[in-house]
């Protein structure tokens, strides 16, 4: 099978490999993580379609968990979660500061997430599947040790 170059083809290929899709966003197919049989959540892991297939995941530190730390310290806490991924050839792709707004009061912030995304280009669907399983196994949230 040739590498899927569209999001639709990639989604079908991943479902055929047993992955559960959470949603699609642009060229990315976000995978689901089922924490209980009846509860499905975003896993912060995605496959990206295009000329080159990519595995992507995001890790984060939450400001409320580390009060008083600077933005750079919070990003660094998140980056530490990706240590084993860097050894596998993943590269930092993006950082984001994501406010968590109270759904009942849009003027109130509940927390702020400091996210770092990592990507790895892969040769084919087989390698993509391996990397997605790896990414799903990673801790994605920095915690106090």
């Amino acid at each position: 099978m040739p590498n899927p170059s569209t999001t639709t083809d990639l989604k079908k290929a991943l479902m055929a490999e047993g992955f559960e899709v959470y949603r699609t966003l642009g060229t990315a197919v976000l995978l689901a993580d089922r924490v209980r049989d009846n509860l499905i959540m975003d896993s912060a892991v995605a496959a990206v379609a295009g000329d080159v297939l990519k595995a992507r995941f995001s890790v984060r530190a939450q400001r409320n968990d580390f009060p008083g730390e600077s933005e750079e310290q919070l990003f660094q806490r998140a980056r530490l979660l990706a240590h084993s991924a860097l050894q596998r050839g993943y590269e930092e792709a993006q950082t984001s500061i994501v406010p968590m707004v109270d759904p009942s009061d849009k003027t109130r912030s509940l927390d702020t997430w400091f996210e770092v995304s990592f990507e790895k280009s892969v040769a084919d669907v087989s390698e993509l599947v391996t990397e997605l399983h790896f990414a799903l196994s990673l801790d994605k949230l920095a915690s106090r040790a």
Side-chain angles (χ1 to χ4, degrees), residues 42-113:
D42 176 1
S43 65
V45 175
V48 182
D51 294 336
V52 176
L53 290 174
K54 294 180 183 179
R56 178 187 295 164
F57 69 92
S58 297
V59 291
R60 73 174 186 260
Q62 297 177 184
R63 181 175 298 283
N64 286 350
D65 292 341
F66 304 98
E69 290 197 0
S70 70
E71 289 182 3
E72 188 50 42
Q73 288 173 311
L74 291 163
F75 280 127
Q76 192 56 33
R77 284 190 178 275
R79 286 182 181 105
L80 289 173
L81 297 169
H83 177 72
S84 62
L86 294 172
Q87 294 176 330
R88 286 177 74 107
Y90 283 82
E91 296 179 353
E92 186 172 321
Q94 177 181 350
T95 59
S96 303
I97 299 174
V98 182
M100 293 293 107
V101 179
D102 184 337
S104 63
D105 180 359
K106 302 289 186 210
T107 65
R108 186 171 160 239
S109 176
L110 298 175
D111 201 351
T112 304
W113 293 356

Side-chain angles (χ1 to χ4, degrees), residues 26-39:
T27 60
V29 178
L30 285 69
L31 300 183
D33 189 19
R34 216 173 254 287
V35 293
R36 292 192 306 264
D37 286 343
N38 63 343
L39 182 61

Side-chain angles (χ1 to χ4, degrees), residues 3-12 26-27 29 48-50 53:
N3 281 345
S5 59
T6 68
T7 306
T8 301
D9 291 341
L10 180 56
K11 182 178 174 181
K12 288 177 186 175
T27 60
V29 178
V48 182
L53 290 174

